[in-house]
Amino acid sequence: EAGVAQSPRYKIIEKRQSVAFWCNPISGHATLYWYQQILGQGPKLLIQFQNNGVVDDSQLPKDRFSAERLKGVDSTLKIQPAKLEDSAVYLCASSSFATTGYTFGSGTRLTVV
Amino acid sequence: QKEVEQNSGPLSVPEGAIASLNCTYSDRGSQSFFWYRQYSGKSPELIMFIYSNGDKEDGRFTAQLNKASQYVSLLIRDSQPSDSATYLCAVRRSGGGADGLTFGKGTHLIIQP
């Protein structure tokens, strides 16, 4: 079974620019999550999708972050405009049965300069 | 504010000894608990999950849960240098369909050869 795919692996942008990350979940997984992991901290949930609907976006900074999941499969997370404090690894995960945990993708490391 | 607390370490353990990692959580409604391992520069990898009070064993790993004390631990027997990593404790948020995980900051474990 193929894992969760993310791209790009690395991205360097200047503050106030925009950036987008892409995630392709494991085939058949209805639930998709985006997490932000700042260096030295644990991952923090940004948004959870069930199929193409948002279940939880309570910790998403909606003034600058947006996310969508078209047709209940791939997802895109966007930041516009980026701030220095957005420098982090953005992790995507998917699950079919969340109570047993889920698998993370390899992540996108964002550096804002 | 739901929190998960871990000692950041580093925790240094001789090879072959038992490594003991601890975690406390604040939300009494938490239902399930997870341990992830994260190597430097890599994404978190699920090691174990536990729902019920008591012990759960999987190979060299034992997870322990005490809901009355709001305490979760992970024991690693016969520690190997390859066990050197950051161990993240995570708690599944309870209520509704939102089931994202709340992570601690992680404990950095070093196994000394």
Side-chain angles (χ1 to χ4, degrees):
Chain A
E1 160 177 275
V4 177
Q6 291 189 246
S7 67
R9 285 300 309 275
Y10 306 93
K11 191 74 176 179
I12 300 174
I13 62 171
E14 296 182 349
K15 59 184 179 183
R16 293 187 291 273
Q17 286 188 323
S18 62
V19 65
F21 314 126
W22 173 82
C23 173
N24 181 247
I26 294 172
S27 178
H29 281 192
T31 310
L32 184 147
Y33 312 82
W34 282 101
Y35 283 82
Q36 177 195 58
Q37 187 173 23
I38 294 172
L39 186 65
Q41 298 184 20
K44 171 189 166 185
L45 178 68
L46 293 176
I47 189 166
Q48 175 188 346
F49 290 95
Q50 180 75 20
N51 296 307
N52 60 352
V54 175
V55 175
D56 183 4
D57 63 358
S58 59
Q59 299 185 94
L60 186 73
K62 299 180 185 67
D63 58 334
R64 298 184 301 107
F65 286 64
S66 64
E68 61 181 3
R69 190 179 184 196
L70 299 176
K71 299 180 181 179
V73 182
D74 293 5
S75 178
T76 302
L77 177 69
K78 297 180 181 177
I79 307 175
Q80 181 178 12
K83 293 185 175 182
L84 296 176
E85 58 261 37
D86 298 331
S87 295
V89 176
Y90 290 84
L91 295 161
C92 180
S94 70
S95 75
S96 58
F97 190 51
T99 52
T100 56
Y102 38 71
T103 302
F104 286 96
S106 55
T108 295
R109 183 176 298 275
L110 173 67
T111 302
V112 182
V113 298
Chain B
Q1 180 73 17
K2 301 181 179 67
E3 294 183 348
V4 177
E5 300 288 341
Q6 296 182 257
N7 187 325
S8 60
L11 174 65
S12 186
V13 173
E15 183 176 357
I18 296 175
S20 178
L21 305 162
N22 305 314
C23 169
T24 59
Y25 60 94
S26 62
D27 181 7
R28 284 198 171 275
S30 299
Q31 299 294 321
S32 45
F33 308 86
F34 303 84
W35 284 100
Y36 282 80
R37 177 176 61 198
Q38 187 171 30
Y39 293 114
S40 180
K42 301 295 185 182
S43 59
E45 171 192 10
L46 180 65
I47 298 175
M48 291 191 70
F49 59 89
I50 186 168
Y51 308 136
S52 304
N53 279 326
D55 295 359
K56 179 182 179 182
E57 186 174 320
D58 183 0
R60 296 188 296 114
F61 298 95
T62 298
Q64 300 175 318
L65 174 61
N66 184 327
K67 289 186 177 180
S69 300
Q70 296 176 243
Y71 179 89
V72 193
S73 65
L74 179 71
L75 302 178
I76 307 175
R77 291 182 299 281
D78 188 23
S79 297
Q80 303 296 312
S82 59
D83 294 326
S84 297
T86 296
Y87 288 80
L88 297 162
C89 175
V91 172
R92 178 170 174 260
R93 296 160 60 180
S94 55
D99 55 18
L101 300 182
T102 300
F103 283 84
K105 291 185 176 181
T107 297
H108 184 203
L109 176 65
I110 299 172
I111 306 300
Q112 294 182 324

